[in-house]
Amino acid sequence: MTETPSEQLVVCLDNDGYDASLERRKIYIALVDQDADKHGILRVIDESGEDYLYPKASFGPITLPAA
């Protein structure tokens, strides 16, 4: 059985309106939140170290090889 990951890596593509909280081109951890996903937002651990909701369009997913 495969376990669903609870986190994913994303890169910030656009920080307009969130200059103090997000840095463009920086990699962040996004927590899986199905309710947020339904509304087009991501729960991201930002520069404060806390998780907040941001527009999903501001981030791109990162896929790393298993090795």
Side-chain angles (χ1 to χ4, degrees), residues 6-65:
S6 60
E7 315 178 324
Q8 67 182 48
L9 295 177
V10 294
V11 62
C12 179
L13 304 173
D14 179 13
N15 68 341
D16 287 344
Y18 305 102
D19 295 341
S21 303
L22 300 171
E23 294 180 32
R24 286 182 65 222
R25 298 183 296 276
K26 183 172 179 176
I27 296 172
Y28 290 94
I29 295 173
L31 304 176
V32 174
D33 183 334
Q34 293 178 1
D35 290 329
D37 192 49
K38 292 176 189 175
H39 297 284
I41 51 182
L42 279 177
R43 185 171 298 280
V44 175
I45 300 174
D46 67 11
E47 294 301 311
S48 71
E50 299 292 327
D51 61 286
Y52 291 97
L53 298 170
Y54 295 101
K56 193 173 187 175
S58 298
F59 298 89
I62 295 177
T63 305
L64 298 175

